[in-house]
Amino acid sequence: MKEADMDLMVGATADNIMMVEGEMKEVQEADLLNALKAAHAAIKPMCELQNELMKELGTDKKREYCHEVNDDELKEQVKTECYQKAYDVVKQALEKHARAEAFEAIITEFKEKYAAAHTDLTEDELEEKNTLADKYYHDVEKDAMRRCILDEGVRLDGRKTDEIRPIWCEVSPLPMPHGSSIFTRGETQSLTTCTLGTKLDEKMVDGALEKYYMKFLLHYNFPPFCTGEAKAQRGVGRREIGHGHLAWRGLKGQIPEDFPYTVRVVSQILESNGSSSMATVCAGTLALMDAGVPMKKPVSGIAMGLIKNPGEDKYAVLSDILGDEDHLGDMDFKTTGTKDGLTATQMDIKCDGLSYEILEKALAQAKAGREHILGCITNTIAEPRKELKPQVPRIVEIEIPKEFIGAVIGPGGKIIQQMQEETGATITIDEVDGVGKVQVSAPNKESIDAALSKIKGIVAIPEVGEVYEGTVRSIMPYGCFVEILPGKDGLLHISEIDWKRLETVEEAGIKEGDKITVKLLEIDPKTGKYKLSHRVLVEKPADYVERERRPRPERGERRPRPERGERRPRPERRNENHEAHEPKDFNDSLDHEM
């Protein structure tokens, strides 16, 4: 699948394709058509196998069953009195709410006249007749709309079959989101926002067969008010899942894989009259480019419809369908794509099937519509913004050797948590392909630089002869320990603090937490401990005289024992406040400390 251009699911009978769902990598319409033919060829043997099984079981004859109670006289009366009125409403090309009110007025008038003419009916009987009248009128309304399109080429809103509704759009209508847009096509409108987050905002998908993380998220919200309804808004439903997933498929291929941010797009449908999922794709493209996401190419989407009565050769393919054309029509065929090809598709067929001739025409007409919509998008914002908005957190990524991952994290996460607390940055680290991928994010450059400095200090290897700005971590009678790099301490012996002789470390004015510049003199080859010096960085006094140091005996050599009766002199005490003996030299103290 990683090497494939298409990931499709196709449902079909032995004669016609019924359903298509999938995503593509900017393929051409002809390639999609060939893929559907290949899928259909694979489906036909399965249909034949099912037919053979039905014959073997004796269930190959369909049973006729109807539980409904019908009134053929009422049905004919509704058609006779309401059809022409409904046809006239269709031709008026009214807007959505006015059209709905006009259609409602026709059946209301009929039911009032019917009640006046049948005063002998009880209230319950009249209610039953009204319910049947509503059902029959729906069929009349559907037939009037379809005949007007097939016979006169006039749609509910007065457009031609291949005409797109008026479009207007803008970017940054909201001041604080990282990216935002409004996309309006006819009476369908989407307000979409784009938020850029860190690696911690990725979505973990814990499936039955695999576990992975998603960096691009898309949420599609369809509140009741967008269709003029007032009702409780429950959890996510079929529409939100299906439409959101289609829009996600259409956009995700155009976001670079190396983009460091986690991207979340949220589409709020403010008004809906068909194609709200395709409005989400268009508004999502605008919001992504407004946020500065370096999209490979902008994406647009369109929903196609079909009118085809059984037994007739005449048909009409409709571009950018309305909600009523979806409801009363025979097809809802959505496609998304860039200027170079298709990225996603979804098709539901409500008639007996779709021939390849009709499908080919629908794809060609959809391409022309998408290109028109894409022009409106690029006229609003031609390309992604070069700079991220000030409120977007900045992210820097670096790689470190695998063996330093534990050092950066620390025991129980102590080191990484301390760095985040001190710098205000968010730090994440993962092992990928044998190296540590570190991501640092923060609202400002200073925090990022401070965090990077600490991380680089941990992974840096101290070098003999280098000068470091260290921090005094602890003070001992024989010197102090200085942190030259995060997690790396060295001993600054009291004799290496200054050229003059010091009795105590405090005499030099050094205390814990002080910053001090030191030079790394030596790294013990066995223990890896560091010997530091500060005095070598200070100019030697002109009258300085190096005091003699008693040579340290070689390994295995013993110091001469004093003669009998002779006592070895005790080392001088430092002062009255310090009882500890002064070490004879640096090596003795270092051995003692080790």
Side-chain angles (χ1 to χ4, degrees), residues 78-91:
V78 170
K79 182 176 180 180
T80 302
E81 297 186 21
C82 298
Y83 178 82
Q84 188 58 45
K85 295 178 181 179
Y87 193 92
D88 293 340
V89 170
V90 171
K91 291 187 65 175

Side-chain angles (χ1 to χ4, degrees), residues 207-240:
L209 300 178
E210 57 182 343
K211 178 179 177 181
Y212 58 94
Y213 291 86
M214 288 172 51
K215 292 181 62 176
F216 175 54
L217 317 175
L218 189 146
H219 295 155
Y220 164 95
N221 297 325
F222 195 84
F225 68 77
C226 73
T227 53
E229 297 177 290
K231 63 181 182 181
Q233 190 166 359
R234 306 294 183 184
V236 179
R238 172 197 61 83
R239 172 185 288 275
E240 286 81 3

